[in-house]
Amino acid sequence: MPDATMTQVAKVAGVSVSTVSHVLNGTRPVAPQTRELVMAAIEELGFTHKPVSRSLAAGSTVTIGVSMSLASSLYGQELIAGIEAESLRQGMQLLMSDTRDDPVREERVVANLLAHHVRGLILSPTEGWERGALRLLSEHSVPFVVVDRVQDLRIDQVGVENESGAASVVEHLLATGHERVGIIAGRPGLSTTTERVAGYRLAHRRRGLDVDERYIVDGDSTENGGRQAMSTLLQLDPRPTGVFIGNDTMTIGALRALRQAGLSIPGEMALVCFDDFPWADVFEPRLTTVAQPSFAIGARAVQLLTRRLQDPKAPAQTLRLGGEITHRDSCGCRRRRRESLATPQ
């Protein structure tokens, strides 16, 4: 019988993989009740965890660090699951730490991971990471791979096709007759935000339409930011008849604002969203989304890091994976189908 994995422990305990990692490695405080659930699952499955110091001393296991915001985003959880699955397949061990999207905390996280002598890092950079995390990585000459938030640098990185995915769903709204389409954008300074806003603009150019700058509203990549941004859009005159929302967390907040305003979807407001999640097909109406291949992005990041560890002089690679648009009900097109967004060659 194969050894139990952290993913299996997380499933039995009903927590995230990152929570299991925090319990095992002591990288973040965990509530006593949660810790008990994790330890009970470990005992039930017979999961064996090798302490980092012992594996390093023995030289039997390569340990890599993961530095990113581990907040309750389903996209992030799937990304981490992909990283864990591929690292286990290759016999590597993970140390995870939460940046909470704070550049100062991110610098401390990276410094702590380097102090644990990780052989390489996978990170999703915060805004301003160049002054802290990147500087540390460069000074220590530690291999790393960027995930999700692709940078304009010659480094190893992997993410989704943000611009084309955003352009496709926004153009879909425009093609169905919505001449006033707003966007709830993510946190300024992040490459994902910049690229998705670029896709929003590209869709308008393709349809020969001007962009009303009032309809571009910052949602800060958070639930509360999404709620406030949707409220701002609803106060405009004229208000948009359709909205593109830049991530799953902001979508929840935007839906709360629409419910509070008593507006129907898609009758009084059509919606399309970036990031799919399990209950997108449970909402009424069902949400039209761009799904990211988050598990695959995580796995490919580990593969890129392995390649870099084996060949430090290999050319840097930037990989863009195609997403998938699932047309449901919230866009108002009354048709259900899936549309794959091909990965450019």
PDB file of all heavy atoms in Angstrom, residues 166-183:
ATOM      1  N   ALA A 166      -9.420  36.771 -20.214  1.00  0.00           N
ATOM      2  CA  ALA A 166     -10.263  37.912 -19.874  1.00  0.00           C
ATOM      3  C   ALA A 166     -10.918  38.498 -21.121  1.00  0.00           C
ATOM      4  O   ALA A 166     -12.111  38.822 -21.129  1.00  0.00           O
ATOM      5  CB  ALA A 166      -9.430  38.975 -19.163  1.00  0.00           C
ATOM      6  N   ALA A 167     -10.140  38.630 -22.196  1.00  0.00           N
ATOM      7  CA  ALA A 167     -10.681  39.192 -23.441  1.00  0.00           C
ATOM      8  C   ALA A 167     -11.838  38.351 -23.969  1.00  0.00           C
ATOM      9  O   ALA A 167     -12.846  38.892 -24.445  1.00  0.00           O
ATOM     10  CB  ALA A 167      -9.576  39.298 -24.489  1.00  0.00           C
ATOM     11  N   SER A 168     -11.711  37.037 -23.877  1.00  0.00           N
ATOM     12  CA  SER A 168     -12.742  36.160 -24.427  1.00  0.00           C
ATOM     13  C   SER A 168     -14.076  36.317 -23.701  1.00  0.00           C
ATOM     14  O   SER A 168     -15.131  36.407 -24.339  1.00  0.00           O
ATOM     15  CB  SER A 168     -12.283  34.702 -24.351  1.00  0.00           C
ATOM     16  OG  SER A 168     -11.181  34.484 -25.196  1.00  0.00           O
ATOM     17  N   VAL A 169     -14.051  36.347 -22.358  1.00  0.00           N
ATOM     18  CA  VAL A 169     -15.328  36.443 -21.641  1.00  0.00           C
ATOM     19  C   VAL A 169     -15.926  37.845 -21.723  1.00  0.00           C
ATOM     20  O   VAL A 169     -17.148  38.007 -21.783  1.00  0.00           O
ATOM     21  CB  VAL A 169     -15.209  36.011 -20.171  1.00  0.00           C
ATOM     22  CG1 VAL A 169     -15.084  34.518 -20.055  1.00  0.00           C
ATOM     23  CG2 VAL A 169     -14.080  36.713 -19.454  1.00  0.00           C
ATOM     24  N   VAL A 170     -15.072  38.874 -21.743  1.00  0.00           N
ATOM     25  CA  VAL A 170     -15.604  40.237 -21.882  1.00  0.00           C
ATOM     26  C   VAL A 170     -16.189  40.428 -23.277  1.00  0.00           C
ATOM     27  O   VAL A 170     -17.270  41.007 -23.439  1.00  0.00           O
ATOM     28  CB  VAL A 170     -14.506  41.281 -21.600  1.00  0.00           C
ATOM     29  CG1 VAL A 170     -15.011  42.698 -21.923  1.00  0.00           C
ATOM     30  CG2 VAL A 170     -14.058  41.199 -20.143  1.00  0.00           C
ATOM     31  N   GLU A 171     -15.494  39.921 -24.286  1.00  0.00           N
ATOM     32  CA  GLU A 171     -16.030  40.037 -25.652  1.00  0.00           C
ATOM     33  C   GLU A 171     -17.341  39.270 -25.784  1.00  0.00           C
ATOM     34  O   GLU A 171     -18.228  39.662 -26.542  1.00  0.00           O
ATOM     35  CB  GLU A 171     -15.008  39.526 -26.658  1.00  0.00           C
ATOM     36  CG  GLU A 171     -15.403  39.831 -28.105  1.00  0.00           C
ATOM     37  CD  GLU A 171     -14.293  39.539 -29.091  1.00  0.00           C
ATOM     38  OE1 GLU A 171     -13.265  38.958 -28.699  1.00  0.00           O
ATOM     39  OE2 GLU A 171     -14.462  39.916 -30.265  1.00  0.00           O
ATOM     40  N   HIS A 172     -17.462  38.179 -25.046  1.00  0.00           N
ATOM     41  CA  HIS A 172     -18.717  37.420 -25.053  1.00  0.00           C
ATOM     42  C   HIS A 172     -19.862  38.297 -24.560  1.00  0.00           C
ATOM     43  O   HIS A 172     -20.966  38.303 -25.148  1.00  0.00           O
ATOM     44  CB  HIS A 172     -18.579  36.181 -24.171  1.00  0.00           C
ATOM     45  CG  HIS A 172     -19.839  35.398 -24.022  1.00  0.00           C
ATOM     46  ND1 HIS A 172     -20.463  34.770 -25.077  1.00  0.00           N
ATOM     47  CD2 HIS A 172     -20.617  35.144 -22.926  1.00  0.00           C
ATOM     48  CE1 HIS A 172     -21.561  34.160 -24.649  1.00  0.00           C
ATOM     49  NE2 HIS A 172     -21.668  34.378 -23.346  1.00  0.00           N
ATOM     50  N   LEU A 173     -19.634  39.061 -23.491  1.00  0.00           N
ATOM     51  CA  LEU A 173     -20.672  39.978 -23.000  1.00  0.00           C
ATOM     52  C   LEU A 173     -20.993  41.051 -24.035  1.00  0.00           C
ATOM     53  O   LEU A 173     -22.160  41.365 -24.292  1.00  0.00           O
ATOM     54  CB  LEU A 173     -20.228  40.641 -21.697  1.00  0.00           C
ATOM     55  CG  LEU A 173     -20.326  39.838 -20.395  1.00  0.00           C
ATOM     56  CD1 LEU A 173     -19.902  40.711 -19.223  1.00  0.00           C
ATOM     57  CD2 LEU A 173     -21.731  39.316 -20.181  1.00  0.00           C
ATOM     58  N   LEU A 174     -19.953  41.617 -24.613  1.00  0.00           N
ATOM     59  CA  LEU A 174     -20.156  42.663 -25.616  1.00  0.00           C
ATOM     60  C   LEU A 174     -20.919  42.123 -26.823  1.00  0.00           C
ATOM     61  O   LEU A 174     -21.790  42.800 -27.380  1.00  0.00           O
ATOM     62  CB  LEU A 174     -18.811  43.241 -26.058  1.00  0.00           C
ATOM     63  CG  LEU A 174     -17.997  43.975 -24.970  1.00  0.00           C
ATOM     64  CD1 LEU A 174     -16.607  44.312 -25.486  1.00  0.00           C
ATOM     65  CD2 LEU A 174     -18.724  45.243 -24.518  1.00  0.00           C
ATOM     66  N   ALA A 175     -20.617  40.896 -27.213  1.00  0.00           N
ATOM     67  CA  ALA A 175     -21.265  40.295 -28.386  1.00  0.00           C
ATOM     68  C   ALA A 175     -22.731  39.983 -28.142  1.00  0.00           C
ATOM     69  O   ALA A 175     -23.520  39.905 -29.088  1.00  0.00           O
ATOM     70  CB  ALA A 175     -20.525  39.021 -28.794  1.00  0.00           C
ATOM     71  N   THR A 176     -23.095  39.806 -26.865  1.00  0.00           N
ATOM     72  CA  THR A 176     -24.505  39.503 -26.564  1.00  0.00           C
ATOM     73  C   THR A 176     -25.330  40.771 -26.378  1.00  0.00           C
ATOM     74  O   THR A 176     -26.503  40.688 -25.992  1.00  0.00           O
ATOM     75  CB  THR A 176     -24.617  38.630 -25.296  1.00  0.00           C
ATOM     76  OG1 THR A 176     -23.942  39.278 -24.205  1.00  0.00           O
ATOM     77  CG2 THR A 176     -24.018  37.255 -25.529  1.00  0.00           C
ATOM     78  N   GLY A 177     -24.728  41.931 -26.661  1.00  0.00           N
ATOM     79  CA  GLY A 177     -25.496  43.173 -26.665  1.00  0.00           C
ATOM     80  C   GLY A 177     -25.218  44.130 -25.530  1.00  0.00           C
ATOM     81  O   GLY A 177     -25.834  45.195 -25.459  1.00  0.00           O
ATOM     82  N   HIS A 178     -24.296  43.802 -24.655  1.00  0.00           N
ATOM     83  CA  HIS A 178     -23.970  44.702 -23.529  1.00  0.00           C
ATOM     84  C   HIS A 178     -22.925  45.710 -23.987  1.00  0.00           C
ATOM     85  O   HIS A 178     -21.764  45.371 -24.197  1.00  0.00           O
ATOM     86  CB  HIS A 178     -23.442  43.899 -22.343  1.00  0.00           C
ATOM     87  CG  HIS A 178     -24.454  42.995 -21.734  1.00  0.00           C
ATOM     88  ND1 HIS A 178     -25.416  43.436 -20.842  1.00  0.00           N
ATOM     89  CD2 HIS A 178     -24.681  41.662 -21.912  1.00  0.00           C
ATOM     90  CE1 HIS A 178     -26.180  42.422 -20.486  1.00  0.00           C
ATOM     91  NE2 HIS A 178     -25.754  41.338 -21.118  1.00  0.00           N
ATOM     92  N   GLU A 179     -23.353  46.968 -24.137  1.00  0.00           N
ATOM     93  CA  GLU A 179     -22.430  48.014 -24.576  1.00  0.00           C
ATOM     94  C   GLU A 179     -21.719  48.671 -23.400  1.00  0.00           C
ATOM     95  O   GLU A 179     -20.715  49.357 -23.588  1.00  0.00           O
ATOM     96  CB  GLU A 179     -23.189  49.066 -25.382  1.00  0.00           C
ATOM     97  CG  GLU A 179     -23.770  48.524 -26.685  1.00  0.00           C
ATOM     98  CD  GLU A 179     -24.443  49.608 -27.508  1.00  0.00           C
ATOM     99  OE1 GLU A 179     -24.514  50.760 -27.017  1.00  0.00           O
ATOM    100  OE2 GLU A 179     -24.872  49.302 -28.627  1.00  0.00           O
ATOM    101  N   ARG A 180     -22.235  48.488 -22.194  1.00  0.00           N
ATOM    102  CA  ARG A 180     -21.611  49.052 -20.986  1.00  0.00           C
ATOM    103  C   ARG A 180     -21.208  47.891 -20.072  1.00  0.00           C
ATOM    104  O   ARG A 180     -22.025  47.348 -19.328  1.00  0.00           O
ATOM    105  CB  ARG A 180     -22.575  50.000 -20.266  1.00  0.00           C
ATOM    106  CG  ARG A 180     -23.024  51.186 -21.108  1.00  0.00           C
ATOM    107  CD  ARG A 180     -23.758  52.231 -20.270  1.00  0.00           C
ATOM    108  NE  ARG A 180     -24.895  51.659 -19.549  1.00  0.00           N
ATOM    109  CZ  ARG A 180     -26.122  51.499 -20.053  1.00  0.00           C
ATOM    110  NH1 ARG A 180     -26.354  51.839 -21.320  1.00  0.00           N
ATOM    111  NH2 ARG A 180     -27.101  51.001 -19.318  1.00  0.00           N
ATOM    112  N   VAL A 181     -19.949  47.513 -20.171  1.00  0.00           N
ATOM    113  CA  VAL A 181     -19.427  46.405 -19.382  1.00  0.00           C
ATOM    114  C   VAL A 181     -18.365  46.937 -18.427  1.00  0.00           C
ATOM    115  O   VAL A 181     -17.404  47.576 -18.854  1.00  0.00           O
ATOM    116  CB  VAL A 181     -18.837  45.304 -20.280  1.00  0.00           C
ATOM    117  CG1 VAL A 181     -18.168  44.223 -19.429  1.00  0.00           C
ATOM    118  CG2 VAL A 181     -19.919  44.691 -21.153  1.00  0.00           C
ATOM    119  N   GLY A 182     -18.551  46.678 -17.151  1.00  0.00           N
ATOM    120  CA  GLY A 182     -17.574  47.104 -16.153  1.00  0.00           C
ATOM    121  C   GLY A 182     -16.616  45.985 -15.807  1.00  0.00           C
ATOM    122  O   GLY A 182     -16.796  44.844 -16.220  1.00  0.00           O
ATOM    123  N   ILE A 183     -15.590  46.320 -15.042  1.00  0.00           N
ATOM    124  CA  ILE A 183     -14.633  45.320 -14.558  1.00  0.00           C
ATOM    125  C   ILE A 183     -14.306  45.607 -13.108  1.00  0.00           C
ATOM    126  O   ILE A 183     -14.046  46.759 -12.734  1.00  0.00           O
ATOM    127  CB  ILE A 183     -13.334  45.295 -15.406  1.00  0.00           C
ATOM    128  CG1 ILE A 183     -12.311  44.329 -14.789  1.00  0.00           C
ATOM    129  CG2 ILE A 183     -12.740  46.677 -15.552  1.00  0.00           C
ATOM    130  CD1 ILE A 183     -11.053  44.128 -15.615  1.00  0.00           C
TER     131      ILE A 183
END
